[in-house]
Amino acid sequence: MTSKTMTPDTAEAELSADEARRLALRAQGLLGADARRGGVPGVLSRLGAVQLDTISVLARSHELVPYARLGAMPKEKIENAYWAAPARDVDRGTARNGETPVGASDRRSINRRAKATGPFAFEYWAHAASILPIEEWPTLAFRRREFRRKGVRWHKVPDGVCDEIRAKLKAEGPLTTRELGGAKAGGDWWEWSDHKIGIEWLWDIGEVACVQRVGWRRVYDLAERVVPDDLYGAEPDDAECLTRLVRLAGRALGVATRSDLADYYRIKAEQVDAVIEASGLVPVRVQGWRQRAWADPEALVTPPRGRHATTLLSPFDSLVWDRGRTSRVFDFDHRLEAYVPKAKRVHGYFTMPLLAGGRLIGRVDPAREGTTLVARQVSLEPRLTRSAARLEEGAEALRVALRGAAEWVGCDSVRVERAEPAIKQLVERA
């Protein structure tokens, strides 16, 4: 590293931009052998939060995040690793194999076992709606209290609805939104039914928890019943919560600015300022960065080494979810265009950045047609197209990433629809 001594008590270490980039990659589990340790639980623990999103192209985002770090594994294995309770079809009231009925008493039995062993994760607001390690239940107490103080998220809760939901969960839980009578009246949040409003509010304030999804449906229960007692009863004050969140964000990012730290768990910049000294992060200077930065002191002890991942990233991956940071760290302009009118999209609907050699070097907008993975649009960064050798290197990384993704999702061929002719030819070659 640039500084002669990189011990944690260094007053203010200086890092090159490349060193900061490699620290970020290692912290995010995308550089070195340690990245694969611990499987999906290890990924979640390392990142601190994995964002959920409704869009599913090759897979849902929370499945793509472990795939990028661990390689191909069955999606069911990923889901089971996140959600500790046995997989079952809640709406039909049967186990997934269709053999064992799962009635109210069975579900309560499942819940008692889950609480005895402790669920591995829960869902709550972090960077957005996210999966978090269950150990962080107390850390989000400040956000639950904030909801209570505001008294509302998007809707006023109709009178009596919360009491109905509490009673039904107590008697029959765990239950899905549909089973609670809260399925949406329409497709958007402003069309939510009264019961959906009530369920979401109880989830916001922590009376109800989600420690499992079945398919894409949340399974709700009373928090006091599913969150381990030592965590459920812990109520750290706001300063303690924020200090830990800043520390976790710094660890997950490796090196970060004030705005990076605030964005990771969507807290305010002034809240970062209030706790940064207590967080244990150390100030550093990064060449080329205008803003002051902080680093995880443990990350500074050993320079990042090891093999780089070559993979496609979800646009909601925590390596790239902050557009400003992605530009600063990787010199890469990343933008999700799913909500941009089709005619105005530049790179495509669900554009996945291509990571290779520790850099973001291209983009793929994927889709599936039967057993063919279709790259509707493919591009490489301009620096990869300035010589034949670099173009071939970039195209090979694209080919490897596309073939790997195709195999993972059960496709046996890859077709490129839109790309520069030379890139298309190189990527599609046998």
Side-chain angles (χ1 to χ4, degrees), residues 201-278:
W201 176 245
L202 292 174
W203 181 66
D204 287 340
I205 64 175
E207 285 194 38
V208 161
C210 171
V211 296
Q212 187 189 12
R213 276 184 179 249
V214 174
W216 186 241
R217 300 186 298 277
R218 283 183 187 150
V219 180
Y220 297 95
D221 207 345
L222 299 174
E224 64 186 21
R225 197 151 63 188
V226 293
V227 178
D229 293 338
D230 59 330
L231 300 176
Y232 180 74
E235 279 287 325
D237 62 29
D238 286 6
E240 291 175 291
C241 293
L242 292 166
T243 300
R244 178 156 178 81
L245 287 176
V246 170
R247 183 183 303 124
L248 290 172
R251 187 186 71 186
L253 294 168
V255 57
T257 65
R258 173 183 186 246
S259 61
D260 297 341
L261 294 169
D263 184 73
Y264 203 82
Y265 287 102
R266 295 287 168 88
I267 64 175
K268 298 175 182 177
E270 53 266 32
Q271 291 175 318
V272 174
D273 294 340
V275 302
I276 191 68
E277 289 189 14

Side-chain angles (χ1 to χ4, degrees), residues 13 15 45 97 106 129 186 197 226 232 266 344 369 381 404 416:
L15 305 172
S45 177
N97 62 13
D106 298 293
I197 293 169
V226 293
Y232 180 74
R266 295 287 168 88
K344 295 184 178 181
E369 291 182 5
E381 288 292 270
V416 177

Side-chain angles (χ1 to χ4, degrees), residues 113-141:
R113 293 198 302 273
K115 186 162 185 177
T117 58
F120 167 66
F122 73 106
E123 182 181 337
Y124 197 62
W125 297 113
H127 183 80
S130 303
I131 303 171
L132 299 105
I134 192 65
E135 291 78 16
E136 303 310 327
W137 175 270
T139 310
L140 276 298

Side-chain angles (χ1 to χ4, degrees), residues 43-351:
V43 169
L44 181 58
S45 177
R46 185 176 295 108
L47 300 183
V50 171
Q51 184 174 339
L52 292 155
D53 193 81
T54 57
I55 298 174
S56 180
V57 179
L58 299 182
R60 294 199 186 274
S61 185
H62 66 286
E63 297 166 337
L64 290 166
V65 169
Y67 165 73
R69 289 152 178 82
L70 305 174
M73 67 172 63
K75 293 179 189 177
E76 185 176 352
K77 185 175 180 181
I78 294 174
E79 295 290 347
N80 289 342
Y82 281 132
W83 310 118
R88 65 196 190 284
D89 190 326
V90 174
D91 279 349
R92 288 198 301 267
T94 61
R96 187 166 289 178
N97 62 13
E99 295 176 357
T100 307
V102 182
S105 62
D106 298 293
R107 291 175 183 173
R108 288 193 290 273
S109 175
I110 288 170
N111 241 6
R112 286 193 295 271
R113 293 198 302 273
K115 186 162 185 177
T117 58
F120 167 66
F122 73 106
E123 182 181 337
Y124 197 62
W125 297 113
H127 183 80
S130 303
I131 303 171
L132 299 105
I134 192 65
E135 291 78 16
E136 303 310 327
W137 175 270
T139 310
L140 276 298
F142 90 98
R143 186 154 284 160
R144 297 190 288 270
R145 289 192 292 264
E146 186 177 5
F147 274 117
R148 286 181 181 273
R149 284 193 294 268
K150 289 180 178 178
V152 67
R153 190 213 294 179
W154 298 324
H155 307 269
K156 183 180 184 301
V157 181
D159 293 339
V161 167
C162 289
D163 287 339
E164 290 179 29
I165 293 168
R166 292 184 189 104
K168 192 170 180 67
L169 283 174
K170 184 176 181 180
E172 303 174 31
L175 299 168
T176 66
T177 304
R178 184 180 302 167
E179 292 170 321
L180 284 162
K184 292 183 182 180
D188 299 299
W189 63 265
W190 55 85
E191 296 177 310
W192 281 357
S193 69
D194 287 355
H195 280 79
K196 173 65 174 174
I197 293 169
I199 295 161
E200 290 287 321
W201 176 245
L202 292 174
W203 181 66
D204 287 340
I205 64 175
E207 285 194 38
V208 161
C210 171
V211 296
Q212 187 189 12
R213 276 184 179 249
V214 174
W216 186 241
R217 300 186 298 277
R218 283 183 187 150
V219 180
Y220 297 95
D221 207 345
L222 299 174
E224 64 186 21
R225 197 151 63 188
V226 293
V227 178
D229 293 338
D230 59 330
L231 300 176
Y232 180 74
E235 279 287 325
D237 62 29
D238 286 6
E240 291 175 291
C241 293
L242 292 166
T243 300
R244 178 156 178 81
L245 287 176
V246 170
R247 183 183 303 124
L248 290 172
R251 187 186 71 186
L253 294 168
V255 57
T257 65
R258 173 183 186 246
S259 61
D260 297 341
L261 294 169
D263 184 73
Y264 203 82
Y265 287 102
R266 295 287 168 88
I267 64 175
K268 298 175 182 177
E270 53 266 32
Q271 291 175 318
V272 174
D273 294 340
V275 302
I276 191 68
E277 289 189 14
S279 71
L281 303 180
V282 296
V284 296
R285 293 190 305 275
V286 180
Q287 294 173 4
W289 290 19
R290 295 180 180 179
Q291 307 96 327
R292 190 180 183 189
W294 285 265
D296 174 10
E298 292 184 10
L300 299 178
V301 176
T302 307
R305 296 189 180 91
R307 186 176 179 180
H308 288 286
T310 298
T311 189
L312 297 175
L313 298 172
S314 163
F316 302 107
D317 193 295
S318 51
L319 185 75
V320 297
W321 67 24
D322 183 335
R323 186 177 178 184
R325 175 179 169 84
T326 303
S327 177
R328 183 184 347 109
V329 176
F330 293 100
D331 190 24
F332 185 87
D333 184 21
H334 169 60
R335 182 187 181 195
L336 177 68
E337 297 182 300
Y339 307 108
V340 174
K342 186 175 181 179
K344 295 184 178 181
R345 292 173 191 155
V346 177
H347 297 291
Y349 172 76
F350 192 76
T351 306

Side-chain angles (χ1 to χ4, degrees), residues 367-380:
R368 287 184 65 178
E369 291 182 5
T371 59
T372 299
L373 190 156
V374 180
R376 298 200 183 281
Q377 187 168 335
V378 168
S379 62
L380 291 171

Side-chain angles (χ1 to χ4, degrees), residues 362-414:
R363 299 169 179 83
V364 174
D365 181 28
R368 287 184 65 178
E369 291 182 5
T371 59
T372 299
L373 190 156
V374 180
R376 298 200 183 281
Q377 187 168 335
V378 168
S379 62
L380 291 171
E381 288 292 270
R383 63 180 178 272
L384 271 295
T385 63
R386 290 172 185 155
S387 71
R390 299 195 74 182
L391 179 64
E392 184 156 356
E393 177 185 337
E396 176 62 15
L398 269 170
R399 192 182 70 82
V400 168
L402 285 168
R403 296 288 176 182
E407 183 179 346
W408 178 50
V409 299
C411 291
D412 54 22
S413 62
V414 172

